[in-house]
Amino acid sequence: YRICKINPSGEVLETIEGFVYISTIQANLFNGGCLAADAGRGCLVHISNEGVILGENCTFYSPWDIALE
């Protein structure tokens, strides 16, 4: 799986690959970044507006239950 950032006209600006199973994405409208729940690895991933992974928390015991609210 991958996450793509697109502009209003549909052009792909950034692409991040390597996710196992993305269950939820929460966009940050203030800075263009996002949080992604990669349930396949049991990780919450913080991604910058440039497509850089800023941090990961991969300590979830039951990865198929991860969600962002």
Side-chain angles (χ1 to χ4, degrees):
Y1 288 90
R2 64 181 172 217
I3 295 175
C4 297
K5 179 179 178 181
I6 59 172
N7 66 16
S9 66
E11 177 185 8
V12 176
L13 302 175
E14 305 289 340
T15 301
I16 303 172
E17 297 186 8
F19 298 97
V20 176
Y21 178 74
I22 300 169
S23 59
T24 308
I25 296 175
Q26 180 66 48
N28 184 333
L29 299 178
F30 297 106
N31 68 14
C34 70
L35 292 174
D38 185 358
R41 296 186 304 133
C43 298
L44 292 177
V45 183
H46 183 200
I47 302 169
S48 75
N49 63 332
E50 292 91 16
V52 176
I53 294 178
L54 300 174
E56 294 182 322
N57 181 346
C58 297
T59 59
F60 297 94
Y61 176 75
S62 179
W64 300 109
D65 294 334
I66 295 174
L68 298 171
E69 293 184 13

